[in-house]
Amino acid sequence: LSQRGKAALSRLILYDVANGHAQKHVYADWPERGTEDDEKRALAEQIADLDGSYPGGLPAYLSKAKALLKESADGTNPFAEFEAFVPEGESLSYENPDANPHTGMTFSEAEQAGLTGIGDTVFVLVAGGLGERLGYSGIKLSLETNLCTNKSYLEVYAKYIQAMQRMAHLKTGKDHIRIPLVIMTSDDTDPLTRKLLKDNNNFGFEEGQVTIVKQDKVAALSNGNAGLSMKSKWKIETKPHGHGDVHHLLYREGLVDHWYNQGKKYVIFLQDTNALVINSVLPTLGVSIAKGFHMNSICIPRLAGEAAGAIARLEHKTDPEKSLVINVEYNQLDPLLSSQGDCKGDVADPNTGYSPFPGNANNIVIEMSAYEKTLRGEDQGVVIEFVNPKYKDETRTEFKKPTRLECMMQDIPKLFQKEMGSEAKIGFTMFDRWFTFSPAKNSLEAGVEDVKRGGKAPGTMSSAESDKYIQNQRKLKMAGVDLDVTEEKDLVLVAGIPVTPGPRIILCPGFSITQREVMHKIHGGKITKRSTLVLEGEDLKVRNLDLDGALVIRTGHNCDVTVDGLVVRNKGFELEEVTESAAVPEEVAIRGYTMKKHEVVEIVINEPGKYFIGADGEVKKL
Ligand code: GDU
């Protein structure tokens, strides 16, 4: 055995001998020297890897697991000491011109406040999860957000961050603003994430601007004594540890320290498949700056029973110092609310139709100095873990399948509280659902079942795409364009999922992010329901467009383009439902349709200059 293998194995044995021999099956009864030596070596190396990647090593992991498994078997209620209340937070609505009473800022002012700080931020994209629920075997970041531009999730986030650099420069006058992006991968997603970046020239990021950190899996456990689960005689089974790994990883890799020393002010955490969230980042950051929040979670009205966590104010029954505002995960909310208050569980408020608790979109803005200070604490960013075994029967002794410790990134408030006490300012900001939240998480089949049961948010690839179009319909409507905004009653079923009949509109991040920009760049005009419109270009203005068909306008850097009175008539694009899902690639099957591009007017201008496009579509250089 290697030195490190031998050392790690000895540590495991010493721990196990003192703690009840739950791991004897791993190291006892090895055949004598000369037999299966390579296998022994490989196992010892794996033990050393597991030991090295967990703070405190494998013994720390196993003893935590044993304690948590005992609590789970005993049915201990993790919230026994707490009572849950609906917390008070900030709220902002794109369509509401009034100021938020707490911050004194309107929606647009919050965006502008966010712009003053966005140049000093860092983005972290947690993307270690496999699309198991989605029924997709590739990486979720590679999925196309919509079939009009075919841009992937990663490309949308990349172009958004690059647009933020440009806008931060315009707002602050600072040159060469570079916003770093960290992507957390796992063994399941790492190679394909790297390939996606490489195949697309890093989506326009500069050399060194993107960092990939890979989370490690943890050992799987086969019984209530935290016995290690063996995949084979010489291999321990491993499983993902959850997105909570991100904080310790950023700390361990020295990134937080580096950013802090560089003067970066905020870290913004994003999830993999919610393209709408980029709308809410700037105003949330604006609120964080105005209120001095150390942590600010992006929230939406939550549907009762929805697979989204709830932000709750947990009041400790005896020690107010321990009370805190934190996410209660969706699988824990119903048992908690069934044992408290009116004991009705996770149900909707009849007045609003939503859960009274804000829904956690799980995109978090964290202030850098508080983060750095917290991560330097004794837990080193290791957030509290939990265990969620599925028991075979009521005796709660045997598992249906091996389990493991898990952790979630939104649990960081407990560490803030530990390191900063009552100084920690934890808040959240609520936005409209249409504006902020429509992730692709579920397979088409699961989504269809949900719709049949009356569900309003199937969370499929197709509902995510549809919601992206609807969001842009609403933005253009507000900018004075005559078009139909799809309301719930107008949705049409495609492959069993209610989607917009159109118009399908994509405003690329490079065209507009802020309300001020949309209002400035778009003016008047009309778009029919069957139409498709794609706008991309930082200095593109579209006035009095008359569209019945498909139109794509893309303009490059330093192209000042005004379109006024353009009339477009063509066959346009059309959704075609897939009837035989077995016969199409996975990414088509999970959506349930393809986009037939019959006819389109495409205007592409890349040569710097000033241009005008009138009714006939002719491009005139001025
Ligand atoms: N992820 C990792 N590593 C993991 C597991 C997940 O990086 O080990 C990443 C995923 O790629 C994804 C994000 O973490 O980007 C969230 O994972 P899921 O989409 O599987 O998370 P859930 O849907 O179970 O729940 C999360 C929050 C909820 C709720 C919801 C909103 O935990 O509270 O807010 O997102 O979409």
Side-chain angles (χ1 to χ4, degrees), residues 126-130 133 140 184 186 215 240-243 270-273 307-310 327 329-330 360-362 408 410 437 439 441:
V126 290
L130 261 184
R133 266 187 286 164
K140 290 189 277 174
M184 180 174 81
S186 64
Q215 62 178 144
H241 190 218
H243 39 77
L270 301 180
Q271 297 203 154
D272 50 16
T273 57
N327 175 76
E329 197 60 339
Y330 45 92
N360 171 31
N362 220 23
M408 302 189 295
Q410 64 268 37
F437 189 63
K441 301 220 183 197

Side-chain angles (χ1 to χ4, degrees), residues 66-136:
K66 209 168 150 184
L68 285 170
L69 284 165
K70 177 159 180 354
E71 284 178 16
S72 168
D74 293 346
T76 307
N77 172 4
F79 299 105
E81 307 283 292
F82 294 93
E83 205 170 336
F85 294 92
V86 177
E88 230 190 273
E90 307 308 318
S91 73
L92 286 167
S93 169
Y94 188 84
E95 289 164 340
N96 181 355
D98 299 334
N100 170 302
H102 298 142
T103 58
M105 291 189 294
T106 63
F107 175 86
S108 183
E109 285 164 352
E111 278 191 326
Q112 295 301 315
L115 265 185
T116 62
I118 196 78
D120 294 322
T121 62
V122 174
F123 279 79
V124 177
L125 180 53
V126 290
L130 261 184
E132 278 167 335
R133 266 187 286 164
L134 197 53
Y136 182 61

